[in-house]
Amino acid sequence: MSTSTRPNILMIYTGGTIGMIENPNTRALEPFDFDHLIDNVPKIRMLDFDIANYQFEKPVDSSAMNTSHWVDIARVIEDNYDKYDGFVVLHGTDTMAYTASALSFMLENLDKPVIITGSQLPIGEVRTDGEENLITALQVAAAREQNGTPMVREVAILFENYLWRGNRSTKHSADHFNAFKSNNYPELARIGLGITYNKEALWRVPAAGPLKVHSSMDPNVLYIDLFPGICETTIRHLLATPGLKGVVLKTFGAGNGPSDPWFLKALKEAIDNGVVIVNVTQCSNGSVHQQRYLTGWGLAQIGVVSGHDLTSEAAITKLMHLFGEGLTSEQVKNAMEVSIRGEMSL
Ligand code: ASP
């Protein structure tokens, strides 16, 4: 932490609409460079903060993000952890919930704010939501408790009227300014005339040691999104993916799937071969209860792990993190059943 009392914040610009401008030839939005961003928000200079910035060499539309981009962000935070009080990550909205979830798992013992934000309209546009989001994100990253400790000590998404826990968030609207939601966990703060923190919801587990960055994420995972009529060939084809280690099975309601014997048989064979299958619900709110109906019970019997109320973004990135750590299937199963960064309610 800096010795000055002025908050010292590092902004990390990865790309996304917030920093895009219209290409005059194609009229498509393309990432621009960071200086453009600051030029468009002169108000930032009115904050009594020390703000430094770091820009990705090549800013990207967040749809182009992959695990190496997550590692880059985590590394920048690690390299600068002692120098700054907080971090603001500017990021496209499309995969923001994935990055937020991934970073939450990658940054063990985090006890400073990592606030991710972006916008639906480019910051240079008159009606942009980017200016407000950026300024509020900086204020949240700078907020302290009365005793001087950071108010937020986790990865969070700041968007329009809310601050959400990163690994509980989902992009729920392609059009609205309030683009993110956390359907199974309350807001960390409400943004209105002021910023009202929900202290009960903020992460307050004391860090067990210094920041530890886990930079290995295993991409050998996939989603199987069920629908009535899904056929055996499709399921078997997906489960036969070479190198497959983990599957997030998106099920109906409280964790239910087809009752055809071939379905359970195909999943059981994959589990016997070491694939970890995690059950999350397709519903936007609520939790998996595998024991509630016979179809869900069947999944539990063959060894499908309940993802409880995990978002699918958190479930898939948690699998990537745990397999990236080199854990065995059994160890991954056990870790999926417990909350490691506040990602699920038990
Ligand atoms: N496609 C953009 C991105 O995710 C959308 C946005 O930033 O809102 O980078």
Side-chain angles (χ1 to χ4, degrees):
M1 195 174 287
S2 72
T3 45
S4 129
T5 50
R6 276 160 67 94
N8 194 15
I9 311 295
L10 180 65
M11 272 200 281
I12 304 168
Y13 175 54
T14 69
T17 298
I18 192 161
M20 289 186 183
I21 55 158
E22 198 177 275
N23 178 318
N25 302 320
T26 62
R27 312 218 60 189
L29 290 172
E30 291 174 359
F32 201 64
D33 76 42
F34 198 80
D35 299 334
H36 162 82
L37 199 77
I38 299 291
D39 287 347
N40 279 287
V41 195
K43 276 190 205 156
I44 289 184
R45 300 195 178 102
M46 289 165 69
L47 295 170
D48 195 19
F49 301 166
D50 290 324
I51 301 170
N53 64 63
Y54 177 95
Q55 180 174 317
F56 263 34
E57 213 167 288
K58 195 175 176 309
V60 287
D61 184 300
S62 77
S63 311
M65 287 255 169
N66 57 42
T67 55
S68 71
H69 296 99
W70 298 340
V71 174
D72 289 345
I73 303 172
R75 285 275 174 243
V76 175
I77 294 172
E78 181 179 37
D79 294 345
N80 292 283
Y81 197 64
D82 295 332
K83 282 190 252 156
Y84 294 94
D85 300 314
F87 302 86
V88 170
V89 180
L90 301 176
H91 194 288
T93 57
D94 290 348
T95 65
M96 190 182 283
Y98 288 91
T99 299
S101 300
L103 287 178
S104 78
F105 298 122
M106 294 166 84
L107 302 174
E108 186 179 354
N109 296 328
L110 181 71
D111 63 1
K112 290 185 179 184
V114 173
I115 312 300
I116 310 182
T117 194
S119 65
Q120 293 280 54
L121 283 177
I123 208 144
E125 288 206 9
V126 182
R127 289 185 56 254
T128 185
D129 51 329
E131 178 172 287
E132 212 174 287
N133 286 347
L134 174 54
I135 288 172
T136 313
L138 287 165
Q139 290 180 318
V140 169
R144 296 176 193 175
E145 294 252 50
Q146 264 176 356
N147 65 7
T149 53
M151 178 65 77
V152 179
R153 304 167 205 171
E154 58 186 296
V155 179
I157 288 183
L158 181 290
F159 224 85
E160 190 74 0
N161 296 115
Y162 298 95
L163 181 73
W164 304 110
R165 173 162 295 163
N167 56 31
R168 295 290 196 140
S169 310
T170 297
K171 181 174 181 182
H172 86 112
S173 173
D175 304 319
H176 294 166
F177 283 162
N178 263 315
F180 286 84
K181 252 196 176 160
S182 160
N183 290 300
N184 287 323
Y185 196 74
E187 68 269 13
L188 303 182
R190 204 172 268 251
I191 321 299
L193 291 181
I195 303 173
T196 311
Y197 291 95
N198 180 2
K199 297 220 177 152
E200 317 260 276
L202 288 163
W203 179 257
R204 285 294 180 261
V205 179
L211 179 75
K212 188 169 173 200
V213 175
H214 300 270
S215 52
S216 181
M217 297 292 276
D218 193 328
N220 290 299
V221 293
L222 55 78
Y223 285 132
I224 296 184
D225 206 342
L226 297 179
F227 55 89
I230 193 166
C231 64
E232 182 171 1
T233 354
T234 307
I235 295 280
R236 286 197 176 274
H237 182 78
L238 290 170
L239 292 173
T241 303
L244 183 66
K245 292 187 181 157
V247 172
V248 174
L249 183 67
K250 297 195 191 185
T251 57
F252 311 127
N256 305 307
S259 47
D260 311 72
W262 64 259
F263 179 67
L264 290 181
K265 193 162 174 281
L267 296 189
K268 169 99 175 43
E269 282 169 20
I271 292 168
D272 290 345
N273 286 330
V275 175
V276 174
I277 304 184
V278 182
N279 188 346
V280 302
T281 174
Q282 291 174 358
C283 298
S284 50
N285 168 256
S287 183
V288 160
H289 300 279
Q290 292 197 127
Q291 312 293 344
R292 191 176 287 171
Y293 296 93
L294 191 59
T295 49
W297 182 83
L299 292 172
Q301 290 309 298
I302 60 163
V304 171
V305 183
S306 171
H308 302 275
D309 64 349
L310 280 178
T311 60
S312 50
E313 294 92 332
I316 202 127
T317 53
K318 189 172 173 182
L319 281 175
M320 294 167 92
H321 161 64
L322 296 172
F323 280 115
E325 289 297 286
L327 303 187
T328 63
S329 301
E330 210 44 47
Q331 289 169 324
V332 170
K333 269 188 185 179
N334 294 337
M336 288 305 295
E337 288 278 10
V338 292
S339 177
I340 57 175
R341 305 278 193 273
E343 70 277 13
M344 101 188 156
S345 339
L346 290 168

